Amino acid sequence: MVTLNRCFWVAQAGLLAAVPAMAEVTLESMDRTIRVSGELIKFENDQYTIASGLGELVIDSDKVTCSGEDCPELADELNQLIRIASTPAFTSELLPELMEELATQSDASLQLVVQQTISQSGLILGEGGLLYGNFQIQSSDTSSAFEKLYNGEVEIVFSERRATNAEVERFIDAGLGNLNDPENETIFGQDALAAVVSPDNPVKSISVAQTEAIFSGQISNWSEIGGTDLPISLYVPSDGGELSDYFTRAILDQNFSSFSPNVDRTRSSDELDALVASQPGAIALLSTADNKLARPVRLASACGIISEPDTFAIRSEDYPLSRRLYAYTTNRVSPSLLRRMITIMQSPKGQSIVTNAGFVSLDSETATLDAFGQQLAYSLAAPEQSGELYNMQQFTREVLNSERLSTTFRFSSGSSQIDNKARADAIRLSELLERPEYEGIEMLLIGFTDSIGKSELNTVLSRRRAAQIRDEILAASAGRIDPNTITTLGFGAASPAACNNDEDGRQINRRVEIWLR
């Protein structure tokens, strides 16, 4: 067992600055072996700063209890109860490893106790068996999880989808805060939905329309889409309720169709991955996090742009069935361990935990221009792109010897406003540019629009979007980055990453790409 560190109070050098007289507080370690009293100077960033006979001390709030009139209002510091509602996708691997890291960083040890097959509790124990924190994980569908968060039955929800407008409005009306605010919404990773087949299946790509027709039962034999003469066996995982709901919203509802009654829902994701890999006639919907043996088919849009669910396309959200992973809290008083857990989720260590669980982290990766040959070919050949030829040529010249980062910023129609993920990405990019290995590297922020509107106005809008991202990155750096290392460009509707004939495709195209040279 890792014991609670008793050397966590560090006196700062120098004389104490004059402060207004304040009532005395007493801070006591969790195992009650160390106690110190003094005037509370301030409480911020989950740390107490007090004036004591030992000098000015800075003490982490989650390692002590506070008594006295001036103690800030916190959730119970000892025996902190943190109740989590999560979809099954996160309960078996991601959350236990996240709690284990929290225990390590809290100088405690973690003990997992499996209560049932559908839920488990994680206990963080302090020295000598003193209960320091109690994490209770409840496996739940997302709608029920939000209901529990609303009723105060849990402190945090892990979700495979974003809170709906109705859910957001309900929480606001109840005085529980705005779920869309960055204080309450944490995006901690990504994954994607993929149609997977056997490696022996000769079909390499299917269109969105064909995907809908297959799973609704309109196409029942592989020969109908250029494959061998084999009946199509349809599978959706029994533990993939959120996944099938997502497919319904993204694909089936768009064509007023529904799942075929022949869809088999009796097997888990792991079982399906192995089964489909061995059956040439089978096809299943899986999260890319669960896909290890079967082969994902590439997805072709109506205009012919082909996307593959690789990590770059998921990170950049160029793959149309990419999705973000969310954690939600309210404005109720949060236990300090919960706040620390959220911080860890966004840290490099937390992101490695996301990767270990099979999901895609928020880290960036790079790709050269060669990787976008099919996209560039479409941009040059498509009749609707003829008016963008000059912009396309200029864009190609700028990035010819550059590498693209997977980090991509997207916008609402006609807007240059960004969302919570984009703000967090701006911080990550500012930290990236501060690394020694990026010295001398120029970052190109290249804006694009959808095809709606006049070409010259779209070019102006695309430049404005790139400038907005530049401002966000520079603000996040707090002066640590030379503004001359960031160049902003905009090329309107050139180089579409998706079709412009529907809103989903236009949303993908309204973006700022990051290139390094």
Side-chain angles (χ1 to χ4, degrees), residues 194-267:
V196 301
V197 297
S198 166
D200 297 329
N201 190 319
V203 175
K204 304 301 181 185
S205 64
I206 56 179
S207 69
V208 174
Q210 289 171 336
T211 306
E212 179 268 329
I214 288 171
F215 280 93
S216 63
Q218 300 170 57
I219 293 177
S220 58
N221 193 292
W222 286 105
S223 62
E224 298 177 59
I225 55 172
T228 55
D229 185 12
L230 275 175
I232 298 175
S233 301
L234 302 173
Y235 296 94
V236 172
S238 58
D239 53 353
E242 297 297 329
L243 178 146
S244 59
D245 288 347
Y246 176 62
F247 182 77
T248 298
R249 293 192 302 270
I251 303 293
L252 298 179
D253 283 352
Q254 307 301 316
N255 297 282
F256 305 100
S257 58
S258 58
F259 277 110
S260 165
N262 295 324
V263 172
D264 185 322
R265 297 174 181 263
T266 62
R267 295 171 173 85

Side-chain angles (χ1 to χ4, degrees), residues 37 73 266 277 306 327 373 466:
S37 298
E73 181 182 355
T266 62
I306 296 176

